[in-house]
Amino acid sequence: MGSKSRFNIGFKACIAAALVAGGMASVSTPAVAQQSKFITVGTGGIVGVYYPLGGAICRFVNAGRKDHGLRCTVESTGGSVFNINAVMSGDMDIGFAQSDTQYYAKTGAGAFKDKPQPKLRALFSVYPELLTLVARQDANIKSFADIKGKRINIGDPGSGTRGTTELVMGAMGIKKEDLKFAGELKFVEMAPALCDNKIDAFTFVAGHPNAIFQEATTSCASNIASVTGPGVDKLVKDNPFYAKASVPGKMYKGTDTAQPTFGVLATIVASADLPEQTAYIITKAVFDNLDDFKKLHPAVANITKEQMLEGNTVPFHPGAMKYFKEKGLIK
């Protein structure tokens, strides 16, 4: 994961121009179009961070389509688990996945229990993501331990959020039966449900600042709660893909002080069956345009090329390795 201090993000609370990272389909000549190979990027909800960054990756790839013949499209999905399954089945070429979900796929644990994915490969990592608990102020939830007896959205099945939330619940001895309601809403449904008083709180693993948290905290009286305790301490100690972190104070309305939690890294994964040249082209497109990539969202504003090689628990794809060696990022 690298230095834990890298997770102490201090971005200013602006959602900026993240959602304008499209531009994926430039016009090509008929000759090039006939030679084009389509590649698909699996992302997440359209109001999250994965989707606009996936659009940016496609824009960078498509800018060189005349030379390499790749045509990239982006698809909104359920998140990490869905993306890994789609990549391994060949339905998608690359996808975003949390570093912990990547590890579970490698080892056959969690959502991949007894179904290890030995062909899963990494291209690079992108930015830190934090398990964030948002609660209605009238629910009096100040920390994760307070969710007992409450109506909690624990995450969309197939998402990294769901897997991480269940892991923390288990570490704290909290069962689904201890909750008044355990919701499975999709990303875009969480903030409206919170403010319509259908749930008391929701968890979401994401980079900050994030439009979903912004919507929840500005649309109704709510706050970010801490995710701490002996169970979390043990999780971070036992799992190298986790690190402690904080959601900065005053980033969201209703939360004046930093709220401690822990996090993972967002990574880009592929199958070992993805052609080496395709993986090379995708990696090169992002790294050669990193300055433009970093302007797209505050979550990636401070990343470095060196940090983008951290946090992966599966082997790098040979195509990515080829680029890293060319640029002297690895020996």
Side-chain angles (χ1 to χ4, degrees):
M1 290 296 293
S3 172
K4 294 185 179 182
S5 64
R6 291 189 182 126
F7 281 77
N8 293 323
I9 46 182
F11 302 122
K12 294 183 179 180
C14 62
I15 299 305
L19 298 180
V20 297
M24 298 174 289
S26 56
V27 177
S28 60
T29 64
V32 172
Q34 291 173 4
Q35 300 171 18
S36 291
K37 178 190 183 305
F38 286 88
I39 58 173
T40 304
V41 182
T43 58
I46 60 174
V47 297
V49 182
Y50 286 178
Y51 188 78
L53 294 186
I57 291 173
C58 280
R59 179 160 60 85
F60 297 144
V61 170
N62 288 339
R65 191 165 76 234
K66 184 176 180 181
D67 298 321
H68 53 60
L70 293 182
R71 182 172 184 146
C72 182
T73 60
V74 63
E75 184 171 328
S76 174
T77 73
S80 299
V81 176
F82 182 97
N83 291 341
I84 290 177
N85 283 327
V87 163
M88 300 314 297
S89 68
D91 290 336
M92 292 181 181
D93 298 280
I94 65 172
F96 284 75
Q98 294 171 197
S99 55
D100 56 338
T101 309
Q102 186 190 110
Y103 175 80
Y104 297 140
K106 172 187 176 182
T107 58
F112 297 90
K113 183 174 176 59
D114 300 326
K115 295 183 293 184
Q117 303 295 326
K119 285 190 172 184
L120 186 64
R121 297 292 181 265
L123 296 189
F124 47 85
S125 56
V126 218
Y127 66 92
E129 298 184 293
L130 309 182
L131 177 64
T132 307
L133 175 62
V134 186
R136 293 176 57 87
Q137 289 185 1
D138 58 15
N140 197 31
I141 296 174
K142 303 300 181 183
S143 69
F144 197 95
D146 296 330
I147 69 172
K148 286 186 176 182
K150 306 292 186 180
R151 303 167 298 167
I152 310 298
N153 191 73
I154 59 175
D156 182 15
S159 68
T161 291
R162 175 66 169 267
T164 305
T165 301
E166 291 181 335
L167 196 65
V168 176
M169 288 173 62
M172 290 190 172
I174 301 174
K175 301 177 181 179
K176 287 178 67 174
E177 294 77 21
D178 296 326
L179 305 177
K180 185 175 181 180
F181 170 73
E184 300 181 339
L185 300 173
K186 297 183 182 301
F187 302 147
V188 294
E189 300 171 318
M190 297 187 302
L194 186 78
C195 292
D196 288 342
N197 200 19
K198 295 179 179 178
I199 57 175
D200 297 310
F202 66 82
T203 57
F204 189 35
V205 177
H208 291 273
N210 186 282
I212 290 176
F213 304 130
Q214 191 80 9
E215 178 185 359
T217 55
T218 56
S219 299
C220 58
S222 57
N223 60 272
I224 308 296
S226 67
V227 183
T228 56
V232 172
D233 292 342
K234 190 174 189 306
L235 279 178
V236 173
K237 181 179 179 181
D238 293 347
N239 298 283
F241 45 80
Y242 286 142
K244 290 186 177 181
S246 293
V247 179
K250 301 187 184 302
M251 177 169 281
Y252 302 104
K253 185 179 179 180
T255 304
D256 294 331
T257 59
Q259 296 300 305
T261 182
F262 70 102
V264 294
L265 283 174
T267 70
I268 304 294
V269 297
S271 167
D273 294 332
L274 184 72
E276 180 176 331
Q277 185 63 10
T278 300
Y280 173 84
I281 289 168
I282 296 169
T283 305
K284 176 178 172 61
V286 175
F287 276 69
D288 284 1
N289 292 281
L290 188 58
D291 288 342
D292 288 336
F293 189 68
K294 290 164 65 173
K295 296 175 183 176
L296 296 172
H297 195 281
V300 296
N302 297 315
I303 60 171
T304 66
K305 291 181 178 179
E306 291 74 18
Q307 290 171 344
M308 293 173 73
L309 273 64
E310 298 176 352
N312 294 287
T313 56
V314 299
F316 282 116
H317 193 286
M321 288 284 286
K322 177 183 177 182
Y323 178 84
F324 299 151
K325 289 179 178 178
E326 283 183 2
K327 297 300 180 180
L329 292 169
I330 58 174
K331 295 181 180 180

